[in-house]
Amino acid sequence: MSDSDARLLAQDTSVATQGSWPLTLRGLLRQGPLPAPEDSVERALHLMRNYGVEALPVTLDGHLMGMVSRESLLRYARERGLDDEARWASVSDFLQPAEETVAPETPLETLRERWRNRLDRSLPALPVVDKEGYCLGYLHPLDLFFPEPMLRPQLPPIGGMATPFGVYLTDGRIQAGASNIALIATGAFMGLLIFGSLWLSGWGLERLAVWIPFVPHWVFDMNAALQDAHPWWSACAVCVRSVVILPYLLLMRFSVLAGYHAAEHQTVHAIERREPLVVPVVRRMPRVHPRCGTNLVAAMGIFAFVAELASCFPWLQEGAIVIAGLVTLFTWRRVGAFLQFWFTTRPASEHQLEKGIQAGNELIERYLQSYPTRPHILRKIWCMGLLQALIGMGIIAFIVSYIPFLSAFLR
């Protein structure tokens, strides 16, 4: 290596920190698809060409099995005459032990010292492997010295939740933005909306029963059993009782949660598209997100409604589950997107967008400063925020059940 090359590499720290985010091992980690033992030579060569490396880790169910090199694959292909049999051979026939792996906690300076005088050789991908042999991704040796500017880091799929006090975001291991107390407050707030909508629906159905005397009274009674002898009236009862969701959706639309919910979605969209987290850009992002929990609630609601509606008719009872499943399969995403756009989100204010951006920046910073690792399943469940929200709902349910005047009012 020449003296000029050595001087250039000695400046690696300044080169590495030209981006907007600090350079860390997590920030350099690449997590694209890796070849499996059963993959073909053609696929492995395609991945190496795309990634710009001479060798790649081979994984089975995420665990490192060894390395496969471009040299060994091309030598085999030349010997076989580059025919289809050579291109379709299994990668497992060319596995070699990994000469070098990287622990998740390895300092970047250690890796730089190790590779400073080896960049003129063939460059394999460096697998990052935890203590259990799980391959968390790989490093490209050139990234240690000449990283791509990390203006917009690429994170794994992000989840989140709107709270009355701001936006909560998580990657399944790291929590950012609103606190766990705020998540509990979200559950309590949603519990109040549910009980409030139940009271409004009950009050409205009682008035309808008086105003429409020719309809049997039990059709408007939320607690009355459906009557097999009157399938059409039972079907009407199912439809009438489903309107209980309307007060909830309207209350949600005009609540503070709807604005923060939009800010959460728009911030996640911006992060996933690697856009800068600034108000003018985030404001342009869609309010509807395909991974929103509203879609799941829509799917469950559609299935329950159609199944109960079909079971009202004797000739459809046996196939009610199948009918409900088919209707849900073809409608749940569209219904979920409709509910998100018109009810569970509304245009976020600048303050709400700033809260979302604050949570996004916090998540990215914590992500880059953390070691690559696989979160425990219990950690994933906790980070989802559902347990905290259920605690909040449970508190409201306890209050409603055990404080007499509130119980009588809300029921």
Side-chain angles (χ1 to χ4, degrees):
M1 181 177 293
S2 66
D3 293 340
S4 61
D5 291 338
R7 285 194 299 270
L8 177 61
L9 293 181
Q11 301 172 359
D12 54 331
T13 301
S14 61
V15 173
T17 56
Q18 288 177 359
S20 298
W21 299 96
L23 184 64
T24 63
L25 188 147
R26 171 60 75 95
L28 295 180
L29 189 66
R30 301 190 180 193
Q31 296 177 304
L34 296 174
E38 66 271 15
D39 285 350
S40 66
V41 167
E42 185 176 45
R43 170 172 166 76
L45 288 172
H46 174 74
L47 291 175
M48 291 180 197
R49 182 168 61 248
N50 285 348
Y51 299 159
V53 293
E54 299 295 327
L56 273 176
V58 178
T59 61
L60 179 63
D61 295 329
H63 289 80
L64 181 66
M65 304 301 295
M67 301 288 291
V68 61
S69 68
R70 185 200 302 265
E71 180 183 1
S72 63
L73 297 182
L74 291 178
R75 182 171 58 249
Y76 171 78
R78 285 195 302 269
E79 292 173 355
R80 296 302 302 263
L82 301 176
D83 57 5
D84 288 343
E85 185 175 350
R87 293 190 296 113
W88 298 339
S90 173
V91 167
S92 61
D93 297 332
F94 306 92
L95 277 180
Q96 301 171 349
E99 297 181 0
E100 182 175 354
T101 61
V102 178
E105 63 275 9
T106 305
L108 286 184
E109 287 301 326
T110 301
L111 293 174
R112 290 195 187 104
E113 289 298 325
R114 190 184 304 171
W115 277 89
R116 190 180 302 277
N117 297 316
R118 298 164 59 186
L119 292 183
D120 53 351
R121 306 177 186 178
S122 62
L123 300 178
L126 302 176
V128 179
V129 182
D130 64 15
K131 296 179 180 179
E132 299 177 354
Y134 191 89
C135 185
L136 301 166
Y138 69 94
L139 298 176
H140 194 300
L142 280 179
D143 287 344
L144 298 172
F145 304 95
F146 308 103
E148 297 180 1
M150 291 199 301
L151 299 178
R152 294 171 290 278
Q154 183 66 58
L155 272 67
I158 302 170
M161 189 175 294
T163 79
F165 310 109
V167 172
Y168 167 79
L169 295 177
T170 180
D171 69 341
R173 186 174 69 91
I174 300 169
Q175 295 178 285
S179 65
N180 288 311
I181 298 299
L183 294 176
I184 294 175
T186 297
F189 188 85
M190 294 176 69
L192 289 175
L193 292 184
I194 291 172
F195 283 111
S197 64
L198 287 173
W199 179 82
L200 287 173
S201 299
W203 179 84
L205 292 178
E206 288 180 1
R207 299 303 182 274
L208 284 177
V210 175
W211 296 340
I212 311 177
F214 61 87
V215 177
H217 187 273
W218 60 268
V219 171
F220 300 102
D221 188 348
M222 298 287 294
N223 299 315
L226 301 179
Q227 299 183 15
D228 295 337
H230 304 282
W232 288 104
W233 284 127
S234 294
C236 290
V238 172
C239 295
V240 167
R241 295 171 191 181
S242 66
V243 302
V244 68
I245 192 66
L246 291 180
Y248 176 83
L249 292 175
L250 292 173
L251 291 173
M252 175 63 76
R253 170 71 181 191
F254 295 104
S255 73
V256 68
L257 281 185
Y260 280 123
H261 195 190
E264 174 217 334
H265 285 181
Q266 291 171 299
T267 302
V268 172
H269 274 300
I271 294 174
E272 292 175 339
R273 299 181 186 191
R274 307 183 79 173
E275 292 277 11
L277 293 183
V278 293
V279 170
V281 173
V282 174
R283 191 191 302 278
R284 295 197 300 265
M285 296 295 108
R287 300 206 317 265
V288 176
H289 197 283
R291 295 197 306 274
C292 179
T294 303
N295 290 350
L296 180 60
V297 174
M300 294 188 295
I302 294 169
F303 184 88
F305 172 75
V306 176
E308 189 172 14
L309 187 64
S311 65
C312 294
F313 304 97
W315 59 89
L316 294 178
Q317 287 178 353
E318 292 185 0
I321 300 299
V322 175
I323 295 172
L326 290 174
V327 173
T328 303
L329 180 64
F330 289 104
T331 61
W332 70 281
R333 287 192 181 276
R334 293 182 180 179
V335 173
F338 174 84
L339 293 178
Q340 286 185 61
F341 188 84
W342 292 106
F343 295 104
T344 63
T345 71
R346 60 184 173 89
S349 67
E350 184 167 346
H351 173 73
Q352 291 167 334
L353 290 174
E354 289 173 349
K355 283 288 189 178
I357 291 171
Q358 179 182 348
N361 285 328
E362 183 180 337
L363 178 66
I364 293 173
E365 184 175 356
R366 292 183 179 180
Y367 174 83
L368 292 176
Q369 295 295 342
S370 65
Y371 293 136
T373 183
R374 289 181 296 163
H376 193 277
I377 182 62
L378 295 180
R379 178 64 180 173
K380 286 185 176 180
I381 293 174
W382 177 255
C383 287
M384 290 173 64
L386 293 179
L387 289 179
Q388 298 91 317
L390 288 175
I391 291 172
M393 289 185 182
I395 293 173
I396 296 301
F398 176 84
I399 293 174
V400 169
S401 300
Y402 290 95
I403 297 182
F405 75 91
L406 281 179
S407 178
F409 175 76
L410 292 177
R411 293 178 183 177

